[in-house]
Amino acid sequence: MPKRILIVKTTSMGDVVHALPAVADLARVHPDAQIDWVVEKSFADIPRLSRYVRFVHEVAVRDWRKRLLSQGTWSEINRVRHAFRLENYDAAVDLQGLLKSAVIGRWAGAPLYGYDKNSIKESVASRFYDKQFAVSKSLSAVTRCRELLAHALGYSLDGLPLEFGLRSIQSSQKEEPYVVFLVNTSRQSKLWSEQKWVQLATHCHQMGFNVRLFWASPQEKERVDRIAAQAGNFCSVCPKMSIAQCAAMMQSAAFVVGVDTGLTHLAAATDRPTVGLFLDYPIELVGLTGNRVKSLGGVGADPAVDEVCEAIEQTRAKQ
């Protein structure tokens, strides 16, 4: 069994969250393993939240592509490659399955493992692997990561419970009970209507909770401002926060409701009651994974407010 292992899972936020249980599996089976992770710097907070990750390497592939001819870009790339080689990894596992992640994995100078050409998103990436493994595309993203890492490093998932392994970063301050709404996402087709968010906020207020709204861009800020203004003063817009700050606030929430976005998957990973609203993607492939979660919707769906309220009660009843 390799002792020094590099996990390659660089983007996006939800995908990085989906890889956390695989690392928890590995740490349970081989508690003496040194597990490091390479990730886009904008998502580095997520593996740093894991109790099982020793060190996080940051890359900036999105920025590097924009200035590929810059000397500064190649200095950054060489810095990462040098950092990999200093660790003397015994194995690297590409849980991403893209050409860019396979190239990064090769920088480690260790045997690189990944999906076979029929299991991968970009089949050309499989040519970079020293060993390839078949993992069904019909499985959820979380299960695919768990199975690939188990195959690559030679252990069984039998009897291993689902665990995300996040450190607790809850605030010690006493606050009024609140819930978190994650109303923003990357595509218009994934959004739930603002009026339904207002109705849901009113319902939560009647339950005795204030509502907190997150945002990351000016456009997202405008949306949460409109929802808060319509809902009333029990609905507050948080300042712009890092991923770690968002995770801390969600860990102390009574429950979280969110659309198809990485933060909703992170909320599920914190083991808070979480309801996910999926409007344009099959929930069997990207639905929430966790012990106290409920995924609603699917392609072309538009969940009713009453349906969401019922799902909230179901997740809160789970222990």
Side-chain angles (χ1 to χ4, degrees):
M1 166 66 195
K3 296 295 184 182
R4 298 181 180 88
I5 300 151
L6 178 66
I7 301 298
V8 184
K9 188 73 164 178
T10 59
T11 58
S12 57
M13 188 189 305
D15 291 339
V16 176
V17 172
H18 291 154
L20 290 168
V23 169
D25 292 337
L26 174 58
R28 280 174 174 263
V29 175
H30 296 289
D32 59 339
Q34 171 189 306
I35 307 172
D36 293 353
W37 194 315
V38 56
V39 67
E40 278 280 335
K41 64 181 181 180
S42 55
F43 304 125
D45 278 352
I46 298 171
R48 288 196 178 108
L49 288 171
S50 172
R51 297 195 301 270
Y52 305 117
V53 174
R54 185 196 69 100
F55 186 79
V56 176
H57 298 276
E58 296 182 8
V59 294
V61 176
R62 293 173 176 176
D63 291 339
W64 294 344
R65 284 174 172 170
K66 297 175 184 177
R67 46 186 180 89
L68 196 56
L69 300 181
S70 164
Q71 183 178 353
T73 294
W74 287 100
S75 294
E76 292 177 21
I77 291 172
N78 288 331
R79 174 190 56 78
V80 174
R81 296 177 67 174
H82 181 65
F84 284 178
R85 295 305 175 94
L86 286 178
E87 295 295 344
N88 194 27
Y89 290 114
D90 298 310
V93 184
D94 180 11
L95 298 181
Q96 192 85 45
L98 301 176
L99 179 59
K100 67 175 182 180
S101 57
V103 170
I104 290 170
R106 290 251 58 108
W107 295 349
L112 178 63
Y113 307 139
Y115 299 102
D116 71 12
K117 65 179 182 180
N118 297 316
S119 307
I120 203 169
K121 186 172 183 180
E122 295 181 1
S123 59
V124 66
S126 65
R127 300 179 184 179
F128 286 74
Y129 305 142
D130 296 287
K131 287 187 179 180
Q132 306 169 7
F133 302 91
V135 180
S136 173
K137 289 183 177 180
S138 66
L139 299 173
S140 71
V142 168
T143 303
R144 276 172 54 81
C145 288
R146 296 180 75 189
E147 290 212 354
L148 175 57
L149 196 57
H151 289 323
L153 299 181
Y155 59 87
S156 172
L157 294 176
D158 291 346
L160 288 178
L162 176 73
E163 181 195 357
F164 284 88
L166 297 184
R167 293 183 289 107
S168 176
I169 50 176
Q170 295 181 12
S171 170
S172 59
Q173 291 182 311
K174 289 188 176 180
E175 301 180 84
E176 293 293 323
Y178 66 87
V179 302
V180 170
F181 286 178
L182 304 170
V183 308
N184 290 301
T185 188
S186 58
R187 292 207 306 267
Q188 188 74 22
S189 59
K190 293 182 177 183
L191 295 174
W192 204 42
S193 77
E194 294 179 18
Q195 190 55 46
K196 287 186 175 180
W197 283 116
V198 172
Q199 293 174 25
L200 184 62
T202 301
H203 173 80
C204 292
H205 182 55
Q206 292 170 350
M207 295 170 65
F209 298 111
N210 291 326
V211 177
R212 298 187 181 182
L213 301 168
F214 296 174
W215 59 279
S217 68
Q219 184 179 10
E220 291 182 357
K221 176 69 160 50
E222 291 175 2
R223 190 161 195 262
V224 295
D225 281 343
R226 289 194 299 269
I227 292 171
Q230 293 178 69
N233 58 11
F234 60 86
C235 195
S236 61
V237 174
C238 296
K240 188 175 183 179
M241 298 187 294
S242 68
I243 292 174
Q245 289 170 326
C246 291
M249 187 167 288
M250 291 190 296
Q251 282 186 347
S252 295
F255 57 87
V256 179
V257 183
V259 291
D260 183 7
T261 184
L263 282 178
T264 307
H265 291 280
L266 184 58
T270 67
D271 202 34
R272 301 314 300 148
T274 304
V275 176
L277 310 179
F278 297 83
L279 278 66
D280 76 342
Y281 214 84
I283 57 175
E284 61 271 18
L285 296 180
V286 298
L288 301 181
T289 300
N291 299 315
R292 308 174 70 186
V293 304
K294 181 76 173 180
S295 299
L296 300 177
V299 179
D302 185 16
V305 174
D306 287 346
E307 186 181 2
V308 177
C309 294
E310 182 179 351
I312 289 170
E313 294 308 314
Q314 291 173 356
T315 60
R316 295 184 70 203
K318 294 179 180 179
Q319 299 297 324

